[in-house]
């Protein structure tokens, strides 16, 4: 489902959960923040099902998403976009990136990457989120060598080189770090590196590519999401520049945390919206609960 921003006061946002577990208080907070922002702006909030991880997705979790959001009093335009039905769009984007010469197939396993990183001469650094930066072992392989088990990676250095002279700027509103931001190419090379854009067979997009392609296809003008995804923004901005897609405004919100300060995870079933519902908590009480647990 796409919405023309012109018919929505220039404000289209979305809530984009993955059906890999039950929604918890953190999802409720994210959804409520997105719907509230749309309502204040007189705009629209869409629901998108991010079901590309076929090993973890389960149909009952998708049903639970619809039920729990409706129970919270939220509604959305139908039909809902499902990423599992979007292979053609992702493939088109990959073809375009292929023509630009900024992607390559990678057959490294996690163990290969760990081994290469352990060799000091490879010289790769660790990202600030603790993630490892891909050491570039397969960089230089041509796309026509791609095999069925390969991942497709962005050649960060070539992509930035291609856009040289273009300022990758974006705006953020919301509580985390509002204002105008500009991507730092050195940090993108050294701390982010050659991220995976697709897995296995071409057309199965990974998070960064699918989210950028779908936000554009759905006419999303404002991306409302948790601060855990803050560091993805420069990658998304770069992909938008390469694919010549519109650039939204970002709004990152705080995360709901438990008493020990840890962000909630899907395995914390005790805090699932379903568990609150079954325990007799009302939708209004859940709304209050997710707000008071924000730190
Ligand atoms: N599907 C992502 C998640 O569940 C959210 C994607 C986004 O908002 O950019 O964390």
């Amino acid at each position: 489902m796409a919405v023309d921003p012109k018919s929505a006061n220039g404000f289209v946002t979305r809530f984009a959960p993955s059906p890999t577990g039950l929604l918890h208080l953190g999802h409720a907070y994210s959804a409520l923040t997105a719907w509230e922002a749309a309502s204040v702006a007189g705009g629209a909030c869409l629901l998108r099902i991010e079901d590309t991880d076929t090993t973890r997705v389960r149909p009952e979790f998708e049903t639970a998403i619809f039920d729990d959001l409706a129970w919270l009093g939220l509604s959305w335009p139908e039909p809902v976009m499902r990423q599992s039905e979007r292979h053609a769009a992702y493939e088109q984007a990959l073809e375009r990136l292929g023509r630009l010469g900024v992607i390559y197939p990678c057959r490294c396993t996690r163990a290969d990457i760990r081994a290469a990183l352990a060799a000091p001469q490879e010289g790769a650094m660790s990202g600030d989120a603790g993630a490892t930066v891909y050491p570039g072992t397969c960089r230089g392989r041509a796309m026509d060598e791609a095999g069925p088990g390969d991942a497709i990676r962005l050649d960060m250095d070539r992509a930035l080189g291609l856009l040289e002279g273009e300022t990758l700027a974006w705006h953020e509103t919301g509580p985390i770090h509002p204002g105008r931001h500009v991507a730092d190419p050195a940090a993108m090379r050294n701390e982010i590196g050659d991220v995976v854009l697709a897995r296995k067979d071409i057309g199965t997009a990974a998070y960064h590519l699918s989210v950028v392609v779908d936000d554009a296809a759905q006419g999303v003008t404002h991306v409302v999401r948790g601060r855990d995804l803050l560091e993805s923004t420069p990658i998304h901005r770069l992909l938008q520049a390469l694919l010549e897609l519109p650039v939204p405004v970002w709004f990152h919100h705080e995360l709901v945390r438990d008493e020990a300060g840890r962000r909630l995870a899907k395995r914390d079933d005790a805090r699932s919206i379903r568990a609150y519902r079954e325990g007799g908590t009302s939708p209004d009480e859940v709304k209050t609960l997710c707000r008071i647990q924000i730190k």
Side-chain angles (χ1 to χ4, degrees):
M1 172 82 201
V3 168
D4 178 358
K6 286 198 231 47
S7 69
N9 258 340
F11 191 104
V12 180
T13 189
R14 79 315 191 257
F15 177 57
S18 301
T20 54
L22 290 171
L23 298 186
H24 54 55
L25 281 186
H27 295 104
Y29 182 72
S30 196
L32 292 164
T33 305
W35 260 277
E36 197 173 287
S39 149
V40 167
C45 186
L46 306 173
L47 176 60
R48 182 169 74 225
I49 301 295
E50 303 219 321
D51 55 352
T52 53
D53 184 352
T54 47
T55 57
R56 293 168 59 220
V57 162
R58 298 219 315 251
E60 61 268 33
F61 291 138
E62 184 179 303
T63 308
I65 289 172
F66 299 139
D67 289 352
D68 290 345
L69 294 178
W71 179 78
L72 283 170
L74 304 173
S75 60
W76 49 89
E78 302 273 1
V80 165
M81 181 182 274
R82 275 190 190 77
Q83 292 193 323
S84 54
E85 294 165 2
R86 301 271 303 147
H87 285 195
Y90 307 143
E91 203 160 336
Q92 221 174 32
L94 282 169
E95 274 165 20
R96 186 169 176 154
L97 295 173
R99 282 196 299 277
L100 293 174
V102 296
I103 52 174
Y104 62 89
C106 170
R107 59 177 159 228
C108 293
T109 61
R110 279 172 207 267
D112 292 337
I113 296 173
R114 267 199 308 275
L117 287 169
Q121 67 273 20
E122 297 284 350
M125 297 162 63
S126 220
D128 48 5
T132 46
V133 173
Y134 179 65
T137 317
C138 288
R139 200 182 292 138
R141 281 181 74 207
M143 280 304 287
D144 55 18
E145 289 172 41
D150 289 356
I152 307 299
R153 287 186 183 270
L154 178 70
D155 185 329
M156 183 61 82
D157 192 51
R158 288 186 80 140
L160 289 166
L162 196 72
L163 296 170
E164 205 151 25
E166 187 172 333
T167 306
L168 294 176
W170 69 91
H171 287 274
E172 298 227 7
T173 59
I176 307 296
H177 70 156
R180 180 177 186 267
H181 300 278
V182 176
D184 170 5
M188 293 183 79
R189 283 187 180 94
N190 300 329
E191 290 163 26
I192 297 173
D194 295 358
V195 290
V196 171
L197 296 184
R199 291 180 296 251
K200 299 189 179 109
D201 300 307
I202 295 185
T204 310
Y207 166 66
H208 296 305
L209 185 69
S210 56
V211 89
V212 160
V213 168
D214 290 344
D215 281 341
Q218 292 194 289
V220 169
T221 59
H222 291 71
V223 172
V224 176
R225 63 186 182 190
R227 70 177 304 156
D228 52 323
L229 294 167
L230 191 63
E231 284 159 18
S232 298
T233 310
I235 306 170
H236 298 177
R237 180 63 187 86
L238 173 70
L239 289 172
Q240 283 151 0
L242 292 167
L243 296 167
E244 296 184 63
L245 298 175
V247 180
V249 172
W250 278 270
F251 176 116
H252 289 96
H253 59 72
E254 283 297 354
L255 302 178
V256 178
R257 296 183 188 276
D258 65 13
E259 296 72 18
R262 286 181 305 246
R263 54 181 284 226
L264 303 184
K266 284 198 173 125
R267 59 186 173 275
D268 296 334
D269 274 354
R271 286 187 181 75
S272 71
I273 300 172
R274 177 60 47 95
Y276 283 111
R277 281 173 69 176
E278 287 173 359
T281 310
S282 74
D284 278 345
E285 284 164 342
V286 164
K287 289 179 195 176
T288 308
L289 270 178
C290 60
R291 293 212 154 88
I292 56 177
Q293 298 208 18
I294 299 282
K295 298 251 166 59

